[in-house]
């Protein structure tokens, strides 16, 4: 069964890669194929609950590379494979993204134009509970236009819990 093409579509690529990535208990967050000079760059983003480390990335990379070597999905052109985890600046678009960022500060733009910044207390399949200035606010994902984790440089290492009064210890 040959699927040889020099213009591999993203959906076919993701469907090919997803079961390989899932063997390692990871989620395929994105697969992107872009021109890079004479070659193409296949960028694959993987993640899982609890995070992913360099050994995990190496294992997934080897498995993907081996699968691509035995299949025609990439066609005949040269390509470079890059596997990594999503950066902290990735938008929160799925419930698992919210769940994986519990205790982190997020900035949310709502569909009707309002903005909310708060710390994720919990996340379900439909909504997240945020601590906004000491008060709990529920944010339904359906109401979110955009949401991103805010990078905090003043948080003490390993201190993911704000103090009872909502303040965060500074270094």
């Amino acid at each position: 069964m040959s699927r040889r093409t020099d213009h591999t579509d993203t959906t076919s690529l993701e469907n090919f890669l997803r079961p390989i990535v899932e063997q390692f208990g990871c989620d395929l967050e994105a697969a992107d194929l872009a021109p890079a000079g004479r070659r193409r760059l296949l960028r694959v983003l993987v993640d899982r609950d609890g995070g992913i480390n360099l050994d995990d990335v190496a294992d997934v990379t080897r498995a993907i590379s081996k699968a691509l070597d035995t299949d025609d999905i990439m066609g005949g052109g040269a390509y470079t494979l890059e596997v990594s985890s999503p950066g902290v600046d990735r938008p929160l678009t799925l419930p698992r993204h919210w769940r994986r960022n519990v205790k982190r500060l997020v900035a949310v733009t709502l569909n009707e134009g309002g903005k909310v910044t708060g710390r994720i207390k919990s996340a379900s399949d439909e909504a997240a509970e945020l601590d906004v200035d000491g008060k709990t606010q529920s944010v339904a994902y359906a109401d979110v236009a955009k949401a991103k984790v805010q990078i905090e440089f003043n948080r003490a290492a390993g201190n993911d819990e704000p103090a009872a009064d909502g303040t965060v210890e500074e270094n």
Side-chain angles (χ1 to χ4, degrees), residues 8-170:
T8 305
D9 68 283
T10 303
T11 302
S12 296
L13 199 51
E14 287 179 351
N15 290 338
F16 176 80
L17 295 171
R18 188 168 287 107
I20 299 164
V21 170
E22 287 175 349
Q23 291 174 31
F24 296 90
C26 298
D27 295 308
L28 176 66
E29 294 295 341
D32 180 54
L33 190 59
R38 290 187 163 141
R39 305 171 76 80
R40 293 173 292 160
L41 174 61
L42 172 56
R43 185 173 288 129
V44 179
L45 299 180
V46 297
D47 202 3
R48 73 166 152 226
D49 289 358
I52 190 166
N53 62 37
L54 289 176
D55 290 334
D56 299 326
V57 170
D59 291 342
V60 171
T61 301
R62 280 190 292 276
I64 290 173
S65 181
K66 183 177 179 181
L68 291 173
D69 287 347
T70 60
D71 194 282
D72 267 353
I73 195 163
M74 291 297 291
Y79 65 91
T80 300
L81 172 62
E82 177 183 290
V83 178
S84 64
S85 63
V88 71
D89 62 342
R90 171 195 56 190
L92 305 179
T93 58
L94 298 171
R96 70 177 179 245
H97 300 159
W98 290 82
R99 185 180 67 242
R100 289 176 181 158
N101 285 287
V102 166
K103 298 181 184 176
R104 295 190 115 168
L105 189 66
V106 293
V108 180
T109 303
L110 301 171
N111 288 328
E112 68 264 5
K115 293 187 179 196
V116 176
T117 299
R119 193 165 305 284
I120 303 172
K121 293 174 71 172
S122 65
S124 70
D125 287 340
E126 294 82 32
E129 298 291 320
L130 303 182
D131 179 332
V132 180
D133 298 324
K135 295 183 174 100
T136 300
Q137 180 174 341
S138 182
V139 176
Y141 306 136
D143 296 336
V144 174
K146 181 172 77 173
K148 281 190 152 185
V149 170
Q150 300 300 289
I151 298 170
E152 297 178 86
F153 294 105
N154 62 345
R155 291 195 62 149
N159 182 14
D160 285 336
E161 289 291 332
D165 65 358
T167 61
V168 177
E169 293 179 20
E170 292 189 11

